Structure formats: structure tokens, C-alpha cells
Amino acid sequence: MNYDHAYHAGNFADVLKHTVLALCLNHLTRKPKPFFVLDTHAGQGRFDLAGPEAEKTGEARGGIFRLLEAPDLPEALAPYLAQVRRLGMVEGTLRRYPGSPLLARALMRPGDRLVAAELHPVHGESLARLMRGDRDTRIEARDGYEALKALVPPPERRGLVLIDPPFERTDEFTALERAVTALVGRWRAGTCVIWYPIKDEPAVRRFHQTLKDRLDVPTLIAELWVRPRFPPLKLNGTGLVILNPPYPLHTALPEVLPWLAGVLAEPGGGDWRLDWLIEERMGPCPG
Ligand SMILES: C[S@@+](CC[C@H](N)C(=O)[O-])C[C@H]1O[C@@H](n2cnc3c(N)ncnc32)[C@H](O)[C@@H]1O
């Protein structure tokens, strides 16, 4: 386990993932009934944007910092950016970037329950320190896929799972396919947001096809490329598979994705895709 998200915090992939996370959570708070969030690969929870890791890659400069300077922001970015500013601004400069569990907690209410699994002992300890004293949050030092098996479906029966693995294992897509198939078998109505890198595009398309063959809940694909697709050596793009996407995503993403592709593009890049992998049938909106 060598992955350290401190090198990547606030990059273009985080911007897309955290924007969608914020929109989903914002939607869940519209009903008074409490909800549950499981963050299976939670990370440290907060990242120093002036630290050596962030300085070394400069990835946040091509991500969150561009948004802070961009004019004409789409309205749908507001829930995400408001929390980024609130949690990270020091004397008018963004110094810290919130990871998914901190961002999630900031968008949840007292009584909404968050469980964050983080297997790396040092990252897990940092997260536990950050969340200490929050009675509605539990940090678990365990495998995220095991946590998913053990904790879903939640007694609340409404909520969200974020699966954001580091893709260090060569069989991560296979692990995701298994985990998500089992998840839908146990909890059809839950929203699930799965993050993936786009480096090996054929592998991504095989992953999509397997999910399409196995699942039968509305599923959306949202992708963002900031670099040209070839050569496929770097992280050229990023994607999310979103099971049971709440309604605000249907209207927000067609505006947000092209806008992000424009603002976050590197030379020669800047593309996006939004498609139903499994079409939504007419019926009640999840959540
Ligand atoms: C991409 S980072 C998470 C970033 C975080 N979700 C965010 O958005 O701020 C992936 C994290 O998963 C952790 N990890 C790796 N394998 C894991 C496993 N099997 N179960 C839980 N966490 C794991 C890594 O230590 C790393 O902190």
C-alpha cells in the first residue's frame, strides 16, 4: 500500500468526484429522514496544499485552483465549492483541501451517519484524529470491500456509498465488479458512486460492459478527459459510474461536464462524456 492521496488532492479527478459527491449529499438532505454514507477508501481526510507532496506534483494547480479563479461558474458547483472554501481557506488563500470524508461530513446533518474505511494505518490514524469527537462518524481500519459487505444495507435504508480505490492492484476493476454486483443484490435503492482512472480505455469499457450485463438499476457514466487520449500513459481522464443517480445529477452534469472540460483542459485535451449505462425507467426518484 504505497498510494498517498496527498500527491493528488484537489486535482481534476477530485474536482469531478467531489462535485458529484456534494450534489448527491445535498439531495439526500432534502428529506428529513436520516441517511447513511459509507466511504470505502476514505484517505486522510484533509490535505496540505502547500506541503511537499502537493508541491511536487502541482496537480491541484490544474484542478481546484483553476475553479477558484474561473468566471461564470455553473450553479451546480456551489455546494462543493462552498465547503472547499469553508474548510480550506486561510487568509484568502486555499491552503487545505478536504478529502471525501471531511467533505461528506460537512454536507451531512447531525444524526446522518458516516462510516469511513481506510486500510493504511497512518492515513487512518490521521483521519481518526481529524474526526475525533464527531459522534455520527466512525472510522474503521479495515478493507473497504469488507466494510461494504458488512455494513450495507444500512438500517436507515437511504444513503450513499463512495468507492474510490487507489487502483494499485491490477485486478481493481474485477474487485469493483464483484463488490457492486453484491451491493445491488442487497441494496437496490442505494446510490453508489464509483471512481476510476482512464488510462487503459479498453479495460474501462470492459468494466462498463460487465456492469451492464450484471446490473439492473439506473446507472450513469460521467467522464472527463483533460489530456488527449493518446498516448494512454498518464492519467488522461477520469470517470464515475453512478448507480441510482439522484435527480439533480441528471440536470447538473450536462452543464457541469463541458464546463469542467473547458476550464481543466491541458493543451490538446478537454473532452467529456455523459451516458446512461443502464437507462432509467419511469418511476420514483431514489432517495
Ligand atoms: C484515492 S485514495 C482516497 C481518496 C479519498 N476518497 C478522497 O476523495 O479524498 C484511496 C485510499 O484508499 C486506501 N486504501 C487502499 N486499499 C484499501 C482497502 N483495501 N480498503 C480501504 N482503503 C484502502 C489508501 O490508503 C488511500 O488512502
Side-chain angles (χ1 to χ4, degrees), residues 188 216-218 247 250 276 278-286:
R188 288 185 60 77
D216 60 352
V217 295
Y247 185 71
H250 306 195
W276 285 106
I278 303 167
E279 286 273 359
E280 182 165 63
R281 294 196 200 103
M282 295 302 283
C285 179

Side-chain angles (χ1 to χ4, degrees), residues 1 3 5 14 17-18 39-44 47 99-101 117-120 123 142-144 162 164-166:
M1 288 215 306
Y3 182 90
H5 199 64
D14 265 6
K17 171 179 61 187
H18 293 157
D39 190 345
T40 60
H41 297 71
Q44 295 90 313
F47 303 94
S100 52
E118 171 54 55
L119 198 54
H120 192 295
H123 300 167
R142 74 193 295 192
D143 173 59
L162 171 66
D164 182 18

Side-chain angles (χ1 to χ4, degrees), residues 39 45-46 86-87 97-107 114 127 130-131:
D39 190 345
R46 188 165 66 191
R86 191 175 75 79
L87 296 165
Y97 185 79
S100 52
L102 189 62
L103 184 65
R105 190 67 256 174
L107 288 153
L114 171 66
L127 180 58
L130 188 64
M131 298 300 202

